[in-house]
Amino acid sequence: MKTVLSILTLTVFLILLTALPNTALQSRRHGPAETLFTEQFFSQTVDHFNFNTMGNATFRQRYLITDKFWKAGHGPVFFYTGNEGDVWDFALNSGFILELAAQQQALVLFAEHRYYGKSLPFGNSSFNIPQVSLLTVEQALADYAVMITELKQQLAATHCPVIVFGGSYGGMLSAYMRLRYPNIVAGALAASAPVLSTAGLGDSRQFFQDVTADFEKIAPECRDAVRGAFSQLKKLAEHKDYSRIQSEFALCKPPSSERDIHQLNGLLRNAFTLMAMLDYPYSTHFMGNMPANPVKVGCGTMLRGPDLLANLRDTAGIVYNSTGVLTCFDLYSLYVECADPTGCGLGFNSQAWDYQACTEIELCYESNNVTDMFPPMAFTEQDREIYCSKRWAVLPRPGWLKTQFWGDALSAASNIIFSNGDLDPWANGGVRKSLSSSLIALNISGGAHHLDLRGSNEVDPESVISARQKEAEIIAQWVEMERSRLQKTL
Ligand SMILES: *[C@@H]1O[C@H](CO)[C@@H](O)[C@H](O)[C@H]1NC(C)=O
Ligand SMILES: *[C@@H]1O[C@H](CO)[C@@H](O)[C@H](O)[C@H]1NC(C)=O
Ligand SMILES: *[C@@H]1O[C@H](CO)[C@@H](O)[C@H](O)[C@H]1NC(C)=O
Ligand SMILES: *[C@@H]1O[C@H](CO)[C@@H](O)[C@H](O)[C@H]1NC(C)=O
Ligand SMILES: *[C@@H]1O[C@H](CO)[C@@H](O)[C@H](O)[C@H]1NC(C)=O
């Protein structure tokens, strides 16, 4: 009796055990990187630039740390300057930094940007006015400078050179760290950092033109099919055939206004933006789930049959219905329109990014159906002013980022790698040509948005393999240079 019971118990136990890994696999965070990092909080100054208003008040800033590869007290510190999201998302999608840390015996830190993830200076009131006002690039950089300095003390790493890493806006922050705090940071890998376009330097048509070019490269017919589908949608909207639009696009509610149609166009355009940015040669779970080579998959779907509207719906489904469980598209919950026409994401993080796009970061990109395949959707500096004063009671300051972080006069800086993949619509908003022997532009042919920061994969193109090798060599040189400088000063 007893034995039978224990066998039964054992069987149930075994069934449970085999069931468990499935649940674990469905979780967003799995794999070696997750267990490598320890999550910690740093007591951070709320306002670095005003001694009166917030006094010595602090908030809990999250960071991730691993010393698994570190040659304690000697190896360099690799510091990821977190950008607009949960710090885990960057840590779990930047495997190259860990591979490099293993090679160069580095301590690895990933810091979360203030006002994102769990690093909310005023908790859930952080997005009230005026609490939101301490969300600036300058405050974020000062956070990282203070955090690096204090953690180096705590970890007995004062002699260790610091290299910063970042992708996209995080790459901008890495470059800015080197500009602003060369006393603390020996060099920066700024991957896919649109330092020029976000400072208002560039062509407002470039972004969606480059998204279009990615699809056109697969097949010109693909571009034509997208344009044709948007044109059919426009005709239906002109005839106010809202019930047909609802059924064609499987919308949860029928659209009922021009505003709804504008929102639908924005949601659809955003699907193409994401496929172009995340056009990696293997499936990923970063900013949503993407199949391998999503642009190719998208074009395949656009060209599947004669019904262009159905094709367009299903192409959007690649992005919004990756789980395959969506019963209908909800216009206002799947996509949030904001001061960034390339999308702000969802939730609290989208509010933070919207505020940044309303203040320092300029993202006045337009589509026009001439230089790109999308419906004409302008977002001028004037549109931005109207939106931002209504939403956040602020007026953007065009030109400030350019003044503050050197604009296109970066050649006086040093020790920055600007890497860009030629599939990435952000690439041409960044530095594409080397500016000096220590300001090096790397072109990753066939690479999407900061592919080089991702961990090695067997289907990686040769270009990214050699870019990572080059980056490793340059970074090793910076570390040695900084080591001898530190030794002289100590
Ligand atoms: C902040 O300053 C007050 C004195 O004005 C002091 O009592 C308090 O301990 C300080 N807090 C921190 C975190 O340093
Ligand atoms: C803050 O907001 C989040 C998300 O809406 C919620 O899960 C959490 O419970 C809130 N926390 C507090 C203290 O209200
Ligand atoms: C989502 O995908 C599933 C599976 O392919 C499909 O049955 C469903 O119709 C899709 N939902 C929408 C809204 O297109
Ligand atoms: C795009 O332009 C073509 C003409 O080149 C026009 O037929 C089509 O309706 C336009 N599409 C939209 C969405 O405006
Ligand atoms: C990057 O490489 C691709 C492919 O070799 C090339 O077409 C493109 O012009 C290069 N871009 C730059 C900025 O060097």
Side-chain angles (χ1 to χ4, degrees):
M1 192 67 194
K2 201 164 183 268
T3 339
V4 173
L5 248 185
S6 7
I7 286 170
L8 254 177
T9 324
L10 188 69
T11 317
V12 171
F13 182 62
L14 281 177
I15 289 169
L16 275 176
L17 255 189
T18 44
L20 271 175
N22 285 330
T23 346
L25 277 175
Q26 278 157 13
S27 125
R28 193 167 47 89
R29 288 169 196 162
H30 56 85
E34 191 199 359
T35 48
L36 213 55
F37 287 108
T38 311
E39 180 174 296
Q40 302 199 343
F41 288 86
F42 182 82
S43 175
Q44 184 64 265
T45 302
V46 173
D47 186 349
H48 295 281
F49 305 113
N50 186 315
F51 291 78
N52 285 118
T53 48
M54 297 301 302
N56 61 0
T58 59
F59 71 99
R60 281 157 49 83
Q61 183 170 23
R62 183 161 60 160
Y63 66 97
L64 309 178
I65 181 167
T66 177
D67 62 2
K68 178 175 178 191
F69 311 108
W70 195 37
K71 186 170 176 193
H74 180 84
V77 177
F78 289 171
F79 186 95
Y80 186 93
T81 53
N83 36 311
E84 71 280 23
D86 182 312
V87 69
W88 278 105
D89 286 344
F90 306 116
L92 300 182
N93 284 284
S94 308
F96 170 60
I97 297 171
L98 294 171
E99 292 170 17
L100 197 64
Q103 279 171 35
Q104 305 192 4
Q105 303 178 309
L107 177 73
V108 180
L109 291 161
F110 274 76
E112 187 162 76
H113 194 295
R114 59 166 56 204
Y115 289 83
Y116 292 94
K118 288 193 175 165
S119 302
L120 302 176
F122 303 94
N124 281 4
S125 313
S126 295
F127 301 100
N128 296 351
I129 300 164
Q131 285 92 328
V132 72
S133 65
L134 295 174
L135 170 52
T136 65
V137 174
E138 289 78 2
Q139 298 278 4
L141 297 176
D143 287 344
Y144 297 151
V146 167
M147 188 191 274
I148 292 170
T149 306
E150 286 194 24
L151 291 182
K152 279 182 80 173
Q153 290 282 351
Q154 283 176 26
L155 296 161
T158 45
H159 298 22
C160 302
V162 178
I163 306 294
V164 287
F165 296 77
S168 198
Y169 168 53
M172 291 163 56
L173 294 173
S174 289
Y176 299 163
M177 280 302 284
R178 174 63 190 165
L179 303 186
R180 271 280 170 277
Y181 302 103
N183 53 327
I184 294 172
V185 164
L189 171 53
S192 300
V195 286
L196 301 176
S197 63
T198 54
L201 296 159
D203 185 332
S204 59
R205 295 168 303 183
Q206 170 264 318
F207 187 88
F208 290 108
Q209 185 169 7
D210 287 354
V211 172
T212 301
D214 283 349
F215 288 85
E216 201 169 49
K217 251 181 266 167
I218 299 288
E221 298 77 27
C222 174
R223 171 206 57 201
D224 298 342
V226 174
R227 196 174 257 142
F230 277 112
S231 173
Q232 288 187 16
L233 169 56
K234 181 182 160 210
K235 287 203 189 90
L236 291 179
E238 276 165 2
H239 293 106
K240 297 206 163 35
D241 202 344
Y242 292 139
S243 61
R244 172 92 189 279
I245 293 173
Q246 179 186 21
S247 65
E248 289 288 356
F249 286 96
L251 305 180
C252 301
K253 279 187 249 152
S256 61
S257 62
E258 273 178 34
R259 175 165 183 254
D260 289 347
I261 299 300
H262 177 80
Q263 177 72 12
L264 173 59
N265 278 321
L267 175 146
L268 294 167
R269 186 181 68 175
N270 194 240
F272 291 91
T273 298
L274 287 170
M275 287 186 277
M277 277 172 63
L278 306 172
D279 194 19
Y280 303 120
Y282 47 87
S283 74
T284 54
H285 309 281
F286 175 57
M287 301 172 74
N289 302 313
M290 280 287 167
N293 302 303
V295 170
K296 204 167 158 204
V297 174
C299 278
T301 309
M302 275 316 300
L303 297 171
R304 201 154 61 186
D307 185 349
L308 290 184
L309 292 178
N311 296 347
L312 181 55
R313 177 196 62 221
D314 292 341
T315 304
I318 296 169
V319 172
Y320 300 110
N321 187 17
S322 63
T323 53
V325 299
L326 206 69
T327 53
C328 60
F329 290 97
D330 186 283
L331 279 183
Y332 292 92
S333 75
L334 291 171
Y335 174 70
V336 173
E337 191 178 34
C338 66
D340 178 354
T342 74
C344 278
L346 304 168
F348 271 169
N349 291 337
S350 74
Q351 292 191 47
W353 186 242
D354 188 34
Y355 184 78
Q356 294 202 264
C358 269
T359 51
E360 298 179 288
I361 317 259
E362 273 183 79
L363 295 157
C364 291
Y365 302 156
E366 66 159 45
S367 58
N368 54 42
N369 182 36
V370 177
T371 53
D372 56 65
M373 62 189 178
F374 301 110
M377 280 190 268
F379 187 65
T380 63
E381 199 54 62
Q382 204 192 355
D383 296 330
R384 185 181 178 218
E385 275 186 17
I386 294 166
Y387 170 80
C388 295
S389 53
K390 230 204 251 166
R391 174 65 185 87
W392 295 106
V394 294
L395 275 185
R397 294 182 192 160
W400 170 243
L401 209 64
K402 175 170 175 260
T403 301
Q404 179 76 328
F405 300 109
W406 310 16
D408 54 1
L410 284 162
S411 58
S414 65
N415 292 7
I416 304 172
I417 301 169
F418 294 99
S419 62
N420 280 291
D422 67 350
L423 297 182
D424 184 10
W426 292 103
N428 288 322
V431 176
R432 301 304 308 268
K433 291 209 167 74
S434 297
L435 302 172
S436 75
S437 62
S438 80
L439 292 171
I440 300 148
L442 294 180
N443 179 24
I444 303 167
S445 134
H449 204 40
H450 46 74
L451 173 64
D452 49 335
L453 289 186
R454 303 188 61 83
S456 299
N457 189 290
E458 54 189 1
V459 294
D460 275 336
E462 198 51 50
S463 61
V464 80
I465 298 171
S466 74
R468 290 189 189 120
Q469 273 163 4
K470 190 96 204 258
E471 289 164 359
E473 281 162 28
I474 297 167
I475 288 166
Q477 284 168 20
W478 291 342
V479 167
E480 281 324 303
M481 278 165 57
E482 179 73 350
R483 208 185 286 294
S484 48
R485 188 187 72 85
L486 288 171
Q487 267 154 13
K488 271 181 215 139
T489 57
L490 289 165

